[in-house]
Amino acid sequence: MSEATTPRTRPGSGVVQVTGELIATRRAGAYQHLTFVAPGLAELARPGQFVALAVGGPTSANLLRRCFSIHKVSPSGTYGGTVDVVVAAHGPGTQWISQLRAHDEVDIVGPLGKAFPLPKEPVPCVLVGGGYGSAPLFWLAEALRARGCHVEVVLGAATESKLFGVVEARRYADGVTVTTDDGSMGTKGWVSDVLPEVIRRTGAAVVYGCGPMGMLKSITDVATAEGAVAQVAVEESMACGVGVCMTCVMPVVDKHGVTKMVRSCVEGPVFRGDRVRWDAFSDGLCRVPDDAVGAPRTGGH
Amino acid sequence: MTTTTATTTTSTAVDMSVDLAGRRLPSPMMTASGCAANGRELGRFFDVAELGAFVTKSVMADPRSGRGTPRMAETPSGMLNSIGLQGPGITSFVENDLAWLKKSGARTLVSIAGNTSGEFADVAATLRASDAFDAVVGVEVNISCPNVANRGLVFACDPLASAKVIALVREQLPRDVPIFAKLTPDVTDIVSVAQSCVKAGADGLTMINTLLGMVIDTDLLRPQVAGVTGGLSGPAVRPVAVRAVWQTRAAMLEGRLPFVPIIGVGGVRTGRDALELVAAGASAVQVGTATFNDPSAPVRVGRELAGLLQDKGFERLTDVVGIAHERVAR
Ligand SMILES: Cc1cc2nc3c(=O)[nH]c(=O)nc-3n(C[C@H](O)[C@H](O)[C@H](O)COP(=O)(O)OP(=O)(O)OC[C@H]3O[C@@H](n4cnc5c(N)ncnc54)[C@H](O)[C@@H]3O)c2cc1C
Ligand SMILES: Cc1cc2nc3c(=O)[nH]c(=O)nc-3n(C[C@H](O)[C@H](O)[C@H](O)COP(=O)(O)O)c2cc1C
Ligand code: FES
């Protein structure tokens, strides 16, 4: 069914659908780090955006795409443009991706979603990553430093093997702080335990976050308390990644103070932390706040 | 805006055009409601004017937030969804989305829904009054969504309730704008629902909508989607769609139902899948869940279908509609 290896999509649309060839796959702690040749994608991508991969081949019973943050892109590598992702093997789709071998092909759509906004002035920034959530941050760090920003990175995970990119971080940032829940590396505890100190010490104006939803909420709380703006990349369950299915919505307050259920794949995945209605999330569910536009009336719709 | 000629029809000798209740469409291919948003998103992947018609997400009178999340679960060869008809409401829809579709040259089949039969009529009336109404080649009346008020007890489970909705919508729309009743397979006898819809003024039938289903998260031992139950779709339901189209077409051949066009939908992922529905009796085909796997599936399937028909030596798509009925082994 894969009918072309050249980008399929309309010129100027900002997104491509390509058959990507896997050229490198290696273990990185608890994760698999993969590099795909993806013609046309690298040139369009910016930090914070993601790709949606089809899994299992053209006749697969797993129809829904899997979304992954773009770890980095190289527009002019030996093989043409490449895109890197870091995958945690979890369910059937991510297991399939993790077991791919060099020269296997995967249908890739990307870049998708909104990128991290970059500050106009060279202000200090703190980048916080949880688990594989640090994947998109190094590329972001590079972009920020190119603008003259002082960049510090905080990486956190349950245990050492679930940290991603500690060595890389040292290369891309002016300072690195590591936390693990079990104390197997860095400070024992959560990123939110060390974050206030890092923000104060650096005088950070912006805190960028990527990781589990609970962590993004606490990053937002800490940043807000310290007078910084939080920009967080969320992870909602997505079926299409391109804005057509409406499965990935979450309650976000717009600039007029109105809460709407917005699609995190096209209006996100990066949101200003203080715009997200964290109060609606609990126990792995997200309810529709009563004051959201079009919320169900009592007694159902 | 650009309106390139449909590659679906020019790349092959097969005449893919269809007459859908008086409207001539260059291609039988359509998006399925709720699986394509309202145009702009898929417009990045292909020219929406290339389709026979673009079918929009079911729109109701007022803006709706839909249900909480998670709203979906992947299932074998399919998925379960409980979106809950999230949408901007008909006023915003006609001003923004329909206007965009019109500008893009898309022939639009607008899907409408309501909590009450009166709401369906109000939505139809607002649609008719809109500036972009000339982009509308038909109205699909979604009387079969399992994610609204009386879940499981949708209008299309009851022939009388269905007829009432269709009759009220028919009154609001000019005669030359065909209306299609979208039916659920979750009934004992889909033909009797089809009969009452046609009698009440439906010019065609769209079948099928999703089947009511449920998935339980076996780690948490609780329903996986926040809405508890949801609609099952994808290749897993295709045999049900083929059966529903077949039974309805058979009723037409037996004279139990007037001949009206059937739009087949359910589990189409390839040209071959589309051909199954056409051979069972569908004059046009919608691609839903497969679009999540391949955003350009609605046009790709059309190209594959044309290729298959050509390989088999057919000159016109219409010659194949319902052909399997003539070939039943006796
Ligand atoms: C914007 C974004 C960026 C992401 N970046 C990464 C990354 O860099 N590395 C990584 O390992 N994972 C990332 N994820 C999570 C990853 O998409 C899911 O873990 C993965 O889709 C699960 O697929 P599965 O087959 O293992 O699980 P299943 O549970 O079998 O998946 C079934 C369906 O649910 C969706 N789904 C399930 N869990 C998630 C989830 N947590 N988030 C989104 N969709 C989900 C799947 O996409 C699929 O459509 C990201 C998710 C999003 C939305
Ligand atoms: C996420 C999702 C949302 C849907 N929303 C609607 C809708 O708003 N109106 C409607 O008539 N059908 C809706 N449907 C049903 C589809 O239009 C189609 O009838 C069904 O999914 C079967 O086709 P498929 O197997 O090709 O997806 C929806 C289906 C899905 C998967
Ligand atoms: S994942 Fe389909 S709309 Fe966002």
Side-chain angles (χ1 to χ4, degrees), chain A residues 125-126 152-154 175 177 194-204:
Chain A
C125 300
V126 180
E152 295 230 3
V153 169
V154 179
T177 312
V194 300
L195 190 55
E197 188 275 325
V198 180
I199 297 176
R200 262 174 248 152
R201 177 166 48 75
T202 56

Side-chain angles (χ1 to χ4, degrees), chain B residues 67 144-148 150-152 154 186 209-212 229-231:
Chain B
R67 295 180 176 277
S144 48
C145 182
N147 289 315
V148 283
N150 300 323
R151 7 201 16 207
V154 296
D186 283 343
N209 209 317
T210 53
L211 288 86
L212 194 64
T229 58

Side-chain angles (χ1 to χ4, degrees), chain A residues 68 80 108 254 292:
Chain A
F68 303 96
I108 305 177
D254 72 11

Side-chain angles (χ1 to χ4, degrees), chain B:
Chain B
M1 290 300 293
T2 50
T3 22
T4 53
T5 39
T7 48
T8 326
T9 49
T10 50
S11 63
T12 152
V14 182
D15 176 3
M16 295 296 282
S17 66
V18 288
D19 183 324
L20 267 197
R23 294 286 179 138
R24 191 122 208 116
L25 306 179
S27 157
M29 297 314 302
M30 302 178 179
T31 51
S33 179
C35 299
N38 290 333
R40 287 179 179 85
E41 296 81 359
L42 289 186
R44 298 183 292 168
F45 294 88
F46 59 83
D47 180 356
V48 289
E50 229 186 284
L51 296 163
F54 189 96
V55 186
T56 53
K57 170 91 187 156
S58 297
V59 61
M60 298 176 74
D62 299 323
R64 285 170 62 100
S65 68
R67 295 180 176 277
T69 63
R71 288 179 170 190
M72 65 98 170
E74 195 180 50
T75 59
S77 290
M79 69 180 286
L80 192 77
N81 88 80
S82 71
I83 308 298
L85 289 186
Q86 177 164 355
I90 185 69
T91 307
S92 164
F93 169 83
V94 295
E95 280 168 14
N96 301 305
D97 303 304
L98 190 59
W100 185 89
L101 284 157
K102 176 179 168 177
K103 223 171 63 190
S104 307
R107 292 161 293 277
T108 309
L109 187 59
V110 176
S111 174
I112 64 170
N115 283 303
T116 61
S117 41
E119 184 178 347
F120 277 93
D122 293 347
V123 173
T126 308
L127 179 65
R128 177 189 187 164
S130 83
D131 290 340
F133 188 60
D134 51 342
V136 177
V137 292
V139 171
E140 190 174 87
V141 190
N142 178 9
I143 50 177
S144 48
C145 182
N147 289 315
V148 283
N150 300 323
R151 7 201 16 207
L153 274 178
V154 296
F155 291 92
C157 288
D158 175 1
L160 285 177
S162 301
K164 186 167 173 201
V165 173
I166 298 298
L168 288 178
V169 171
R170 184 67 282 171
E171 278 173 18
Q172 298 300 330
L173 296 169
R175 212 39 259 190
D176 65 332
V177 173
I179 67 176
F180 294 81
K182 186 162 178 187
L183 306 185
T184 175
D186 283 343
V187 289
T188 318
D189 179 18
I190 198 165
V191 171
S192 58
V193 185
Q195 281 165 333
S196 65
C197 287
V198 172
K199 215 172 186 177
D203 305 279
L205 303 162
T206 303
M207 56 180 65
I208 55 173
N209 209 317
T210 53
L211 288 86
L212 194 64
M214 187 166 172
V215 172
I216 288 178
D217 178 327
T218 47
D219 290 325
L220 301 170
L221 293 174
R222 70 179 189 198
Q224 192 167 324
V225 299
V228 182
T229 58
L232 183 67
S233 64
V237 310
R238 195 172 66 248
V240 178
V242 175
R243 180 270 295 173
V245 171
W246 175 277
Q247 287 179 327
T248 309
R249 176 75 178 186
M252 293 174 190
L253 292 165
E254 289 160 13
R256 289 191 288 136
L257 188 63
F259 275 94
V260 295
I262 299 172
I263 303 174
V265 48
V268 175
R269 187 180 189 182
T270 66
R272 204 165 275 284
D273 302 340
L275 183 55
E276 253 196 274
L277 286 170
V278 172
S283 302
V285 175
Q286 298 179 351
V287 179
T289 306
T291 310
F292 306 160
N293 177 266
D294 174 9
S296 41
V299 291
R300 172 182 53 75
V301 169
R303 279 196 295 274
E304 291 172 358
L305 176 61
L308 274 171
L309 293 176
Q310 187 167 36
D311 292 349
K312 291 180 187 301
F314 291 102
E315 280 168 16
R316 282 186 305 261
L317 171 85
T318 46
D319 295 342
V320 190
V321 174
I323 196 169
H325 291 266
E326 300 159 18
R327 301 186 171 191
V328 181
R330 283 175 219 282

Side-chain angles (χ1 to χ4, degrees), chain A residues 1 9-10 13 17 58 60-66 242 245-246 249 261 263 283 286 288 293-295 301, chain B residues 2 34 41 43-46 63-66 68-69 71-72 74 77 83 86 222 235 269 292-294 296 300:
Chain A
M1 215 171 19
T9 35
R10 306 180 73 197
S13 64
Q17 181 179 6
S60 171
N62 294 106
L63 233 65
L64 307 181
R65 283 182 180 258
R66 269 61 175 173
V242 299
C245 72
M246 309 297 284
V249 298
M261 296 299 282
R263 291 167 296 179
D283 193 26
C286 176
V288 179
V293 172
H301 285 292
Chain B
T2 50
E41 296 81 359
R44 298 183 292 168
F45 294 88
F46 59 83
R64 285 170 62 100
S65 68
T69 63
R71 288 179 170 190
M72 65 98 170
E74 195 180 50
S77 290
I83 308 298
Q86 177 164 355
R222 70 179 189 198
R269 187 180 189 182
F292 306 160
N293 177 266
D294 174 9
S296 41
R300 172 182 53 75

